[in-house]
Amino acid sequence: SGAGRTTMPPIMQSGKVDIFAFIGGSKAADALMKTHPEPHRLKACLALDAKNLAIVMPDCNLDNAVAECVTGSLSYNGQRCTALKLMFVHESIAAQFTEKYCAAVDKMKMGLPWESGVKLTPLPEPSKPGYLRELIEDAEAKGAKVINGLGKQENGAFVRPSVLYPVSKEMRVWHEEQFGPLCPIAPFSSLDDIYAYLDETTFGQQASVFATD
């Protein structure tokens, strides 16, 4: 027994593992698979990094899209493999969407998991708040702003969500999985913008599309 970083390498090095099922980061999975003496015969079932998209079309039910994007991006502090990590919102409704989204995000109650009505809880990794600050600072230096009133607020492991808008491909948050309460929103004009993102990304994808047609 013990931490995975300690226990897993010797288990893999033993060569007795036939099937490697792993949920986590691609770097960790790659490093562990390389420790196996016969990686060519190792069967792998992997759920690794993801940059799951929300695609909000101009004909969507706006209130429903906002509510689902809040849940999708911030349930469990956004620390789910299936969480929404980047929201593409059509430019014709971006102002309305961001206004409603920010208002809903700032209403979320922060506290401990067992307290009534709490939606945001302490982050488990000591390094996560600093990493999120780095992503915010990088995005701000390249033209984005934190647009919600309670953004960029933290107290130790308690980190309130920050909504970044507009994000673009020059920013780290466009390419990196933030895995935490950081909510990047990008406007788009046509589906070709989405296809271009998918062509360039190195991540596996899930997507939530909000539209009536």
Side-chain angles (χ1 to χ4, degrees), residues 88-99:
F88 280 100
V89 181
H90 194 270
E91 60 188 11
S92 66
I93 59 168
Q96 297 167 277
F97 179 92
T98 53
E99 180 180 1

Side-chain angles (χ1 to χ4, degrees), residues 26-160:
S26 56
K27 291 181 180 178
D30 186 54
L32 286 169
M33 292 176 71
K34 286 178 178 177
T35 64
H36 196 284
E38 297 180 285
H40 59 281
R41 70 168 180 81
L42 185 66
K43 297 180 176 68
C45 179
L46 307 175
L48 305 176
D49 321 79
K51 196 76 174 175
N52 305 312
L53 306 181
I55 302 167
V56 184
M57 301 298 290
D59 63 340
C60 72
N61 179 322
L62 188 61
D63 289 336
N64 177 69
V66 168
E68 293 298 328
C69 284
V70 170
T71 299
S73 59
L74 288 171
S75 62
Y76 297 96
N77 297 321
Q79 295 194 302
R80 303 178 354 260
C81 297
T82 56
L84 296 177
K85 308 290 172 48
L86 177 59
M87 290 167 276
F88 280 100
V89 181
H90 194 270
E91 60 188 11
S92 66
I93 59 168
Q96 297 167 277
F97 179 92
T98 53
E99 180 180 1
K100 289 176 176 284
Y101 182 86
C102 288
V105 166
D106 283 352
K107 287 180 181 178
M108 298 177 77
K109 182 179 177 181
M110 176 170 279
L112 296 173
W114 52 85
E115 295 175 339
S116 177
V118 164
K119 301 294 185 182
L120 302 165
T121 56
L123 301 180
E125 315 101 308
S127 62
K128 181 65 71 173
Y131 173 64
L132 296 176
R133 284 196 303 274
E134 287 180 12
L135 294 181
I136 291 170
E137 290 167 2
D138 174 78
E140 288 180 325
K142 295 169 182 173
K145 294 181 180 179
V146 174
I147 60 171
N148 60 315
L150 297 182
K152 298 174 70 172
Q153 295 187 20
E154 62 181 83
N155 183 5
F158 288 93
V159 178
R160 289 210 63 92

Side-chain angles (χ1 to χ4, degrees), residues 142-198:
K142 295 169 182 173
K145 294 181 180 179
V146 174
I147 60 171
N148 60 315
L150 297 182
K152 298 174 70 172
Q153 295 187 20
E154 62 181 83
N155 183 5
F158 288 93
V159 178
R160 289 210 63 92
S162 293
V163 182
L164 277 172
Y165 179 85
V167 301
S168 59
K169 65 179 181 180
E170 296 80 17
M171 303 171 190
R172 287 176 58 188
V173 74
W174 182 273
H175 304 283
E176 299 179 26
E177 183 186 23
Q178 66 271 35
F179 208 74
L182 180 56
C183 311
I185 302 175
F188 74 96
S189 58
S190 77
L191 288 176
D192 287 339
D193 300 329
I194 311 296
Y195 301 148
Y197 176 87
L198 294 173

